[in-house]
Amino acid sequence: MLDGLVQALILVPPLLMAITFHEAAHGFAAYRYGDDLAKQRGRLTLNPIAHIDLFGTILLPLMLFILPGGFIFGYAKPVPVNVAALRNPRWDMAKVAFAGPAMNFLLAGVSAALMPLVGLLPAQSAFILLKMLDISIFFNILLGVFNLLPMPPLDGGRVLTALLPATFIPFMRRVERFGFLLIIGLFFLAPMALAEAGVQFNPFGTLVLTPALWLAEGLVGLVA
């Protein structure tokens, strides 16, 4: 019980920081380009309470923590953006979308840069902080890679919408309405159903987990 509590206390701060800074980056970018909706809703803040989603931030990570496998994932409450208020709606929305993953990659870089300083601390404190930095690096990269997938309503889907010819925009907006259902079906339901039939299908591992592990290992290798 105590070990589980200690693990949770090590996990929670880097996870909360990753999703909080991700959403705040969207809000600050939108404000920078003319949309103050996030400010009106109290979302231009690094206070995690403002960004907590009951299911995505608390229940989902808790369920994954309890289940075997040791894989933890979560998300925060999306920051509202009034696209019409942006000065250049098409391109500014792409910048707002990209700001979230960019912040995650920045946090991963900062976490890696702090690693060499851990040795200056007492052994027990250094061990705990090193674990937290490891989690921060991996989870931030995982969150960044996942959100850059070119699928609406992920951030990468919104960047893709800006890059495609204008004739594709209505189609992408229709896809976005059902985007989360498609993501759940592709990454979770389809692999489970196919596994029952003896078919290995793991798009999350191929498209997100493997690249994230490779990038995290490479980043840590730069400071080792």
Side-chain angles (χ1 to χ4, degrees):
M1 177 65 181
L2 184 58
D3 287 345
L5 180 60
V6 171
Q7 289 179 30
L9 291 174
I10 292 173
L11 281 168
V12 168
L15 300 190
L16 271 182
M17 182 174 289
I19 59 179
T20 296
F21 276 63
H22 177 103
E23 293 302 331
H26 286 314
F28 280 107
Y31 187 69
R32 163 71 175 78
Y33 294 114
D35 172 29
D36 65 352
L37 182 59
K39 183 179 181 181
Q40 294 176 22
R41 301 282 178 85
R43 302 296 300 280
L44 291 189
T45 176
L46 296 179
N47 181 352
I49 295 175
H51 303 288
I52 285 176
D53 179 89
L54 177 60
F55 177 76
T57 315
I58 300 174
L59 297 179
L60 178 61
L62 183 61
M63 287 188 294
L64 293 173
F65 179 74
I66 293 171
L67 293 172
F71 177 67
I72 304 294
F73 193 73
Y75 58 87
K77 183 166 52 177
V79 162
V81 177
N82 179 9
V83 180
L86 298 171
R87 286 188 283 273
N88 187 339
R90 183 176 180 181
W91 294 109
D92 288 348
M93 188 61 224
K95 296 172 190 174
V96 170
F98 185 72
M103 175 58 72
N104 289 125
F105 292 131
L106 177 62
L107 285 175
V110 171
S111 298
L114 291 175
M115 279 188 149
L117 303 178
V118 171
L120 302 175
L121 300 173
Q124 187 172 9
S125 299
F127 175 78
I128 293 173
L129 183 57
L130 194 60
K131 284 283 188 183
M132 294 176 73
L133 291 174
D134 273 333
I135 293 165
S136 177
I137 291 168
F138 174 67
F139 186 74
N140 273 291
I141 291 178
L142 184 75
L143 199 60
V145 170
F146 177 70
N147 275 284
L148 281 179
L149 291 176
M151 302 171 60
L154 299 178
D155 298 323
R158 290 177 176 141
V159 174
L160 177 63
T161 300
L163 296 174
L164 289 172
T167 52
F168 284 87
I169 292 177
F171 170 75
M172 296 296 283
R173 287 178 177 167
R174 285 196 296 271
V175 172
E176 185 167 349
R177 295 175 190 171
F178 307 99
F180 276 118
L181 294 177
L182 294 173
I183 290 168
I184 291 170
L186 176 64
F187 290 127
F188 299 103
L189 299 182
M192 286 191 294
L194 290 172
E196 291 294 323
V199 178
Q200 292 295 322
F201 179 66
N202 185 15
F204 188 85
T206 303
L207 298 175
V208 181
L209 191 56
T210 298
L213 284 168
W214 182 78
L215 289 171
E217 289 171 1
L219 186 57
V220 172
L222 290 176
V223 299

